[in-house]
Amino acid sequence: MIPSRLFSARPQAVLEGVGCWMLAARMVHGPSRLLLLRASPRLLSVSCADCTKHQEPPRKQPLSEKKLKRHFVDHRRVLVRGGRGGNGVSCFHSEPRKEFGGPDGGDGGNGGHVILRVDQQVKSLSSVLSQYQGFDGEDGGRKNCFGRNGAVLYIRVPVGTLVKEGNEVLADLSRPGDKFIAAVGGAGGKGNRFFLANDNRAPTTCTPGQPGQERVLFLELKTVAHAGLVGFPNAGKSSLLRAISNARPTVASYPFTTLNPHVGIVHYEDHQQIAVADIPGIIRGAHQNRGLGLAFLRHIERCPFLLFLVDLSVPEPWTQLDDLKYELEQYDEGLSKRPYAVVANKIDLPQARARLPQLQARLGQEAIALSAATGENLEELLLRLKELHDRHVATELEHGRQPLQW
């Protein structure tokens, strides 16, 4: 009889290592003899190798839109290729007691297009890759089965993206939902069923799928907004944008230059929304590509009216307006002649308040004096901004164009 103490071993003892002993589940040469087997280390090693084989490699996590906005990109070179078409098939119908079934090779599917699509959630071209390949179409099959067409590959781009090929402008994606076919997919090949004719009852010819269109495109982003906030560095553009909208550009107590354009939305009681863009990088000689230069001057082109921000804390602030208009006019003729309003910032400083009468006299028009830091007289700016916007909407409707809506 088998002693009961032999079976009192704990179950986890078998799992503690390869060197443990376990009882055999069967008797050998009689009921009084037991066979002790050593656990095979190969079984455990094979199971571990199988686990490692089926383990997926770690993938790089995609960056969130919040992190992508830290790296503002307003131009990109992209190589796009449409998907290749599927091949046609040459085969013949086979069925019992049917000797001459005839050709039944199906056509291949068309390759997928590559399409640029405007998405309002995307703020820059930083998420656009340098190369895109469309999805290929499937090959044809027997019994006149056509291959499946390749899926359409969409590339999300921000509002205001300009698509160029060389020096030619192909598309201006300035409205939400706009699309542009960047690369056309290749046509699918023809099966031998396509070549069936009265004089050729058993064709064996089939054609391969065509390659997709390949082209190099240059994407250029021009910020779309109603009003462009134009001024020299440290004039308080970012502080003013934070004061009148929910945009949060970086501000500090020391002088520095904003490197990325920001768009803030001003909300009114009648649910009207006006987009204001903070355009950085304008200095004297910007039209000659000094400083940030042309990199951000192009963001003003789409703004129908402008807000010139003048710093009252510097001597002779009226010269800033002349310099800003000169830079805009040298970059694009007629840009400085758009409807505008002059905003005099930093009125909370004593020396700035003393220069305000001189500024009014030099300009020959009323300037909106305010303080972006304390919020003084912001209501007058908002009323003036709404007046410019309403005038622009009326002009667009008069010419039969749909005004920009946010």
Side-chain angles (χ1 to χ4, degrees):
M1 186 171 180
I2 302 174
S4 60
R5 62 185 180 87
L6 291 178
F7 295 95
S8 63
R10 293 176 297 173
Q12 61 266 28
V14 181
L15 303 177
E16 287 179 359
V18 177
C20 62
W21 293 85
M22 60 183 177
L23 288 172
R26 58 189 176 87
M27 310 291 287
V28 180
H29 300 298
S32 61
R33 298 180 61 185
L34 294 175
L35 177 64
L36 297 176
L37 298 177
R38 188 174 181 85
S40 173
R42 184 178 179 276
L43 296 177
L44 295 179
S45 62
V46 168
S47 62
C48 295
D50 292 342
C51 294
T52 307
K53 183 186 300 182
H54 294 294
Q55 234 177 6
E56 293 185 358
R59 297 181 179 179
K60 185 177 180 181
Q61 294 293 334
L63 294 177
S64 63
E65 183 64 27
K66 182 177 180 181
K67 292 183 179 179
L68 287 174
K69 285 191 293 187
R70 298 178 185 175
H71 311 285
F72 183 83
V73 177
D74 58 357
H75 59 278
R76 180 76 81 184
R77 178 186 180 274
V78 184
L79 173 64
V80 289
R81 296 190 190 94
R84 184 182 183 86
N87 298 325
V89 174
S90 176
C91 59
F92 292 84
H93 183 73
S94 177
E95 187 178 343
R97 296 181 298 277
K98 197 169 185 180
E99 185 178 357
F100 302 102
D104 67 348
D107 300 344
N110 297 325
H113 303 328
V114 180
I115 298 180
L116 302 175
R117 181 171 60 184
V118 174
D119 190 343
Q120 284 186 298
Q121 302 300 323
V122 180
K123 304 304 178 185
S124 77
L125 297 174
S126 56
S127 59
V128 178
L129 305 179
S130 60
Q131 183 174 343
Y132 286 94
Q133 172 67 51
F135 296 101
D136 297 340
E138 292 184 355
D139 297 340
R142 302 179 63 89
K143 299 181 180 179
N144 297 318
C145 292
F146 285 25
R148 180 182 298 175
N149 295 334
V152 178
L153 176 61
Y154 289 100
I155 305 174
R156 300 192 306 157
V157 295
V159 180
T161 302
L162 204 65
V163 185
K164 295 182 179 180
E165 187 175 19
N167 295 326
E168 180 185 0
V169 178
L170 301 180
D172 187 2
L173 308 177
S174 58
R175 301 285 178 180
D178 284 353
K179 297 179 182 179
F180 172 72
I181 301 179
V184 180
K190 301 297 182 182
N192 63 336
R193 172 73 180 183
F194 177 81
F195 298 98
L196 178 64
N198 291 332
D199 56 347
N200 187 6
R201 304 305 299 173
T204 59
T205 305
C206 62
T207 59
Q210 300 298 316
Q213 183 183 15
E214 179 177 341
R215 64 204 308 188
V216 177
L217 301 178
F218 295 91
L219 305 183
E220 182 179 315
L221 174 61
K222 295 182 179 180
T223 303
V224 175
H226 296 112
L229 198 56
V230 184
F232 285 117
N234 305 310
K237 301 185 297 298
S238 298
S239 300
L240 182 59
L241 190 63
R242 290 172 66 101
I244 64 176
S245 70
N246 290 329
R248 289 295 175 263
T250 305
V251 296
S253 58
Y254 51 87
F256 71 99
T257 300
T258 303
L259 297 180
N260 302 332
H262 295 270
V263 178
I265 308 299
V266 183
H267 299 269
Y268 289 89
E269 294 181 354
D270 55 352
H271 303 287
Q272 190 177 27
Q273 297 179 349
I274 300 179
V276 181
D278 171 17
I279 310 298
I282 298 182
I283 62 173
R284 292 178 178 86
H287 69 280
Q288 300 174 348
N289 209 18
R290 293 181 181 175
L292 297 178
L294 304 179
F296 292 109
L297 274 174
R298 61 170 170 264
H299 291 282
I300 311 177
E301 295 181 22
R302 298 184 185 271
C303 300
F305 51 92
L306 306 174
L307 297 176
F308 288 104
L309 192 63
V310 177
D311 186 2
L312 285 177
S313 64
V314 299
E316 300 182 353
W318 50 87
T319 60
Q320 300 179 30
L321 181 61
D322 297 333
D323 293 337
L324 290 172
K325 286 185 176 181
Y326 176 76
E327 293 298 330
L328 296 183
E329 195 65 25
Q330 292 297 316
Y331 172 73
D332 187 8
E333 187 176 356
L335 190 59
S336 64
K337 296 181 174 60
R338 295 182 181 180
Y340 68 90
V342 181
V343 181
N345 191 24
K346 304 183 182 180
I347 194 64
D348 54 312
L349 302 178
Q351 67 273 20
R353 193 175 295 272
R355 296 190 181 104
L356 181 59
Q358 301 178 14
L359 177 65
Q360 304 274 18
R362 292 275 186 167
L363 296 180
Q365 62 180 5
E366 184 179 357
I368 304 173
L370 53 81
S371 173
T374 63
E376 181 182 352
N377 204 24
L378 288 179
E379 294 80 4
E380 184 179 353
L381 172 62
L382 296 178
L383 292 175
R384 178 60 174 160
L385 186 62
K386 190 174 187 302
E387 179 184 343
L388 290 172
H389 178 262
D390 293 341
R391 192 181 304 170
H392 164 67
V393 170
T395 304
E396 291 292 300
L397 294 177
E398 183 180 349
H399 290 82
R401 296 189 296 263
Q402 186 66 25
L404 174 66
Q405 295 182 354
W406 281 79

